[in-house]
Amino acid sequence: MTASLPQDLVDRLREIPAEAPLLVCSDFDGTLAPIVTRPEDARPLPGVADQLVRLAGTDHTCVAVVSGRSLADLAALSGFADPVTLVGSHGGEFTSGFVSEITPQQEELLRQLDDVLTRMIADAPGAELERKPLSIAVHVRQATRPDAERVLGAVQEGPALWPGVHPTAGKEVLELAVQQVDKGSAVEHLRRQCGDGATVVFIGDDVTDERAFQALRPEDVGVKVGDGETAAAYRVPAVSDVPPILTLLAALR
Ligand SMILES: [Mg+2]
């Protein structure tokens, strides 16, 4: 199973002490689930759910899936559940109890964003809004290229600049949050839950995963899936390379 993995990554994972706490975090879309045209069609690779449960059942090991999707969406599409911790909205929503409080001002800002974004995508067929508890994501994967560029440009120069709005760009998506959350702070929160000094293995493919890679410590392991600039020390070419990593980790615990 490990034959296809880069040897430097295999060697590095073998160095993680088996008796010390380990937190394995993975992104969902493009990492455990192949990217699809319609976001609602995303499903994990066959067998991945069982692999995550098996890994979470090994000694001193915590497993979390950290996604930009809403927690409800992530749970429904992935089918993942306890003992796998699910984190939605880039760290804004945790199954393990922690949910960021939204203030009345932030709620009002979210309503204003909804109004203006709804108008902005009205004449761009295929563009969609995804409403989450702390943010609204503008998806343009299914819009024509000129419409996609026009909508994203207008959002970037408009509501993305409003005070109190935190924009995050992803693949074919621009998300506007009313509270600063990112995968880096999510990883630190999960690390504290898992056990003091836990080593982290983080696997992800998108620009939003870079915040997590940047938050890693020297003893942690970041694995970028696919092309693109990254702060991760290791890289695998495709989603199909991720299950062998999970298998190897389970075997090493
Ligand atoms: Mg992803």
Side-chain angles (χ1 to χ4, degrees):
M1 274 305 267
T2 59
S4 60
L5 292 176
Q7 192 57 44
D8 61 342
L9 173 60
V10 173
D11 292 343
R12 183 68 188 80
L13 295 177
R14 285 186 192 281
E15 284 172 14
I16 298 172
E19 66 284 358
L22 173 68
L23 166 63
V24 180
C25 286
S26 178
D27 172 40
F28 181 65
D29 293 276
T31 302
L32 298 175
I35 294 284
V36 288
T37 309
R38 299 191 327 152
E40 61 270 34
D41 291 338
R43 294 293 180 279
L45 286 176
V48 158
D50 290 340
Q51 277 191 298
L52 293 175
V53 169
R54 203 174 310 131
L55 184 56
T58 60
D59 289 343
H60 319 297
T61 307
C62 312
V63 176
V65 176
V66 184
S67 171
R69 290 181 183 266
S70 71
L71 186 55
D73 200 14
L74 175 64
L77 292 183
S78 71
F80 303 156
D82 221 32
V84 177
T85 299
L86 299 185
V87 178
S89 303
H90 306 287
E93 306 175 89
F94 280 70
T95 39
S96 48
F98 172 83
V99 178
S100 305
E101 294 278 322
I102 185 165
T103 67
Q105 290 82 358
Q106 289 169 338
E107 256 175 54
E108 174 55 29
L109 185 54
L110 206 51
R111 265 193 298 274
Q112 292 170 3
L113 283 174
D114 201 333
D115 285 349
V116 74
L117 293 174
T118 300
R119 285 199 296 273
M120 283 177 149
I121 64 159
D123 58 350
E128 286 179 1
L129 299 186
E130 180 190 359
R131 295 169 177 89
K132 307 189 217 181
L134 298 173
S135 65
I136 301 176
V138 184
H139 292 273
V140 295
R141 193 178 294 277
Q142 295 178 76
T144 63
R145 291 305 83 193
D147 278 353
E149 268 176 44
R150 181 173 50 79
V151 168
L152 290 184
V155 175
Q156 241 146 12
E157 287 159 29
L161 302 176
W162 291 359
V165 172
H166 306 274
T168 303
K171 290 176 182 165
E172 307 283 327
V173 57
L174 181 59
E175 179 156 2
L176 303 183
V178 296
Q179 204 172 89
Q180 180 74 66
V181 284
D182 67 67
K183 290 188 179 186
S185 45
V187 165
E188 280 315 306
H189 183 77
L190 291 164
R191 190 200 299 269
R192 284 194 295 276
Q193 285 186 333
C194 185
D196 212 22
T199 302
V200 176
V201 173
F202 191 99
I203 312 168
D205 74 304
D206 207 344
V207 283
T208 58
D209 297 309
E210 291 303 315
R211 302 293 275 273
F213 293 137
Q214 287 157 9
L216 296 183
R217 303 171 184 176
E219 64 272 25
D220 299 333
V221 183
V223 183
K224 161 86 174 179
V225 179
D227 298 331
E229 233 178 273
T230 185
Y234 300 89
R235 189 192 298 271
V236 294
V239 178
S240 57
D241 297 301
V242 177
I245 299 175
L246 303 176
T247 303
L248 175 61
L249 283 168
L252 292 172
R253 301 304 290 168

